[in-house]
Amino acid sequence: MTIQPGQPIVSVPVKKVTENGVEDATSADILSTGTVVFFTVPGAFTPTCHLNHLPGYLAAADQLREAGVDKIVCGTVNDHHVVKAWAEATGALGTIEFIADGLGKLANALGLERDLTGGGLGMRFNRASLLIRNGEIEIVNVEGAPGEVTSSGAPAMLEALKG
């Protein structure tokens, strides 16, 4: 079952990828302090994630911060080496933090897992965005159709923050 507004963020082991490197952490360590926008993508370097979802958050980072967001975090089910390479290739390091959920434990714990084994990708994150305030889920937006970035994109999150 997908995590719901009012629930606390779960705590599972992940790798945190920042401009300072990679470190072991828990999802709660990364997502529980302040106002956090956490968006999840099926995979680093995959077409929609690479060309639309992440770039939208990168372009809107200043607006999100002006709206009161302390931290923007992207989660993906990839190993931390791939996530680090993707973050560097997109120029997002330093603006966005990244969670490498290599085994999909966080995706599963949040109920945001998506079975892409038919396409050869295995279990991944569903495309989604969450607004988390001081460790409590406030908004959960999960995309319905593959390849779309509507409810989980930066414009939708900015609208939610205004409302």
Side-chain angles (χ1 to χ4, degrees):
M1 183 169 161
T2 303
I3 197 161
Q4 298 294 311
Q7 293 181 312
I9 191 66
V10 297
S11 184
V12 297
V14 294
K15 297 282 188 184
K16 178 180 176 182
V17 179
T18 68
E19 61 187 337
N20 298 322
V22 177
E23 61 188 64
D24 291 328
T26 68
S27 52
D29 292 338
I30 300 167
L31 302 171
S32 289
T33 304
T35 300
V36 180
V37 168
F38 178 48
F39 68 102
T40 61
V41 299
F45 293 110
T46 57
T48 303
C49 307
H50 186 70
L51 300 173
N52 191 350
H53 209 180
L54 175 62
Y57 276 96
L58 188 56
D62 288 340
Q63 292 173 288
L64 288 163
R65 288 198 170 80
E66 288 169 10
V69 172
D70 299 308
K71 187 186 315 186
I72 304 164
V73 182
C74 176
T76 183
V77 179
N78 290 104
D79 70 73
H80 63 278
H81 301 291
V82 169
V83 175
K84 186 173 185 301
W86 184 46
E88 290 172 347
T90 59
L93 276 181
T95 302
I96 296 174
E97 292 182 18
F98 291 80
I99 289 177
D101 184 25
L103 299 175
K105 290 182 178 182
L106 179 57
N108 185 271
L110 293 172
L112 292 173
E113 71 276 11
R114 182 168 171 209
D115 186 354
L116 295 175
T117 53
L121 296 175
M123 293 303 286
R124 297 295 181 121
F125 263 113
N126 201 353
R127 188 176 312 286
S129 65
L130 291 79
L131 180 63
I132 308 163
R133 292 190 201 267
N134 298 315
E136 184 177 301
I137 306 298
E138 190 171 299
I139 296 172
V140 179
N141 297 316
V142 181
E143 291 295 342
E148 286 189 7
V149 178
T150 54
S151 66
S152 69
M157 186 56 72
L158 281 167
E159 282 300 313
L161 285 162
K162 291 177 187 175

